[in-house]
Amino acid sequence: MAALTATTPARPRKLLASRKTRVGILYALPVVVYLLVLFVYPIFSTLLLSLKDADGSFTLHWYADALTGVNLSVLFTTLRISAETAALSLVFGFVLAQAISRLKPILAGLAMLVVVVPHFVSALVRTYGWIIMLGDKGLVNESLTSLSVPGAPFQLLYNELGVVIGTTSMMLPYTVLLLYGVMRGVDRRLLAAAASMGAGKVTIFRRIYLPLVAPGLASAGLLSFILSLGYYITPALMGGPNQTMIATLINQQVTKENQWNGAAAQGVILLVLTLAGLLLVKAVTSLGASRRKRSAT
């Protein structure tokens, strides 16, 4: 026992004396410094700023202020619009990914190119494109008016409908990419076997296909929700005063009110919501992997 105690402290020194270990530490050092400077330090500084009063004393006033009154209403608006965006992205993304997954590989690749390439265009440019299309004299309203649709032209901008349309278009490529990968991984032999046993299309979809793609649906929905939480450009340009989201509120507090402490508290709350969503995505992904492993065995 004494010999074991005597040799235990020597192990770290022996490990550090290894040339392989020293080279590994040397290679990892730039990455560690990069993460500390650009990620850990800003987050830690923002957290400290949100806990300081004007005189530098410790306070939770900014968090209480962020969770009451108008700020709380903005938080609920952000959560609601993000949830609506995630739901619509899932619906349209599921239909698109399902259609693309049934195509031949060459045609599927071309279709995915059509879905992904617009995402490389600046979000600001795409948002202005939607503003032009959805305006009173835009393509959508002009088409509805020419078709004598009752109530046309409609108010499609500077309200929640406009914000959800814009944010859904921004999140749709992420949803399609995730769902397409999951759907391509589904073993079609399972569906054929169920059909050969007399199962109808609805039964096959409900009891076989949907459970297999459910983890992908959950991951895609959560990802769209998380990305929408911190989205700024589209809600700021296509929404009205009642559609103010957290990112817009943070920008207003910093640029117009010079209220860095309150903005820091809002940022920390947004970070906590994002981390919670990411943890949920990881849990859902792990659950899906375990289900696929059990079905494979």
Side-chain angles (χ1 to χ4, degrees):
M1 186 68 180
L4 179 61
T5 307
T7 57
T8 300
R11 286 186 177 179
R13 291 196 296 268
K14 185 177 181 181
L15 186 63
L16 291 175
S18 171
R19 182 177 180 276
K20 186 176 181 180
T21 302
R22 293 198 303 269
V23 171
I25 293 175
L26 185 62
Y27 283 151
L29 188 60
V31 178
V32 173
V33 173
Y34 175 84
L35 292 175
L36 288 175
V37 173
L38 296 182
F39 286 91
V40 177
Y41 175 73
I43 293 174
F44 187 70
S45 300
T46 302
L47 179 61
L48 286 180
L49 187 63
S50 67
L51 295 173
K52 286 185 178 180
D53 208 345
D55 57 358
S57 60
F58 175 81
T59 181
L60 293 176
H61 164 72
W62 304 115
Y63 287 97
D65 184 62
L67 297 174
T68 55
V70 177
N71 293 333
L72 182 61
S73 176
V74 169
L75 177 61
F76 285 145
T77 299
T78 302
L79 294 173
R80 185 180 67 251
I81 291 177
S82 299
E84 292 168 352
T85 299
L88 286 177
S89 298
L90 274 182
V91 172
F92 292 110
F94 184 88
V95 174
L96 277 174
Q98 172 70 6
I100 295 173
S101 66
R102 292 179 174 272
L103 297 175
K104 294 180 179 179
I106 295 178
L107 295 177
L110 292 175
M112 288 302 297
L113 198 63
V114 173
V115 172
V116 173
V117 165
H119 190 66
F120 296 138
V121 180
S122 169
L124 182 62
V125 174
R126 284 182 289 156
T127 300
Y128 276 121
W130 277 111
I131 291 175
I132 294 172
M133 288 183 61
L134 299 178
D136 292 339
K137 299 296 182 180
L139 176 64
V140 175
N141 273 319
E142 286 292 332
S143 300
L144 294 176
T145 302
S146 64
L147 294 173
S148 301
V149 176
F154 298 100
Q155 182 64 35
L156 302 176
L157 284 177
Y158 314 118
N159 51 26
E160 189 161 325
L161 176 61
V163 174
V164 172
I165 290 174
T167 52
T168 300
S169 69
M170 303 298 172
M171 300 300 118
L172 194 58
Y174 299 107
T175 308
V176 173
L177 282 171
L178 278 172
L179 293 180
Y180 174 74
V182 173
M183 291 175 178
R184 292 291 288 188
V186 173
D187 191 348
R188 298 286 172 176
R189 292 175 299 179
L190 297 174
L191 310 182
S196 67
M197 297 293 290
K201 291 183 178 180
V202 176
T203 303
I204 293 173
F205 177 81
R206 181 174 57 87
R207 302 193 61 179
I208 299 177
Y209 188 74
L210 192 58
L212 290 174
V213 300
L217 286 170
S219 298
L222 286 170
L223 180 63
S224 299
F225 179 78
I226 291 169
L227 293 176
S228 300
L229 284 176
Y231 214 65
Y232 170 73
I233 295 176
T234 301
L237 294 178
M238 298 182 67
N242 294 328
Q243 289 76 48
T244 302
M245 297 180 68
I246 288 184
T248 308
L249 179 62
I250 291 174
N251 179 68
Q252 292 175 355
Q253 289 181 332
V254 171
T255 59
K256 296 181 179 180
E257 302 174 14
N258 196 30
Q259 188 54 265
W260 289 84
N261 303 86
Q266 295 281 355
V268 171
I269 292 173
L270 185 60
L271 178 64
V272 170
L273 291 174
T274 303
L275 290 176
L278 289 174
L279 291 175
L280 192 55
V281 168
K282 185 177 180 180
V284 170
T285 304
S286 301
L287 180 62
S290 62
R291 282 185 175 180
R292 286 193 296 270
K293 186 180 295 183
R294 285 199 301 269
S295 63
T297 55

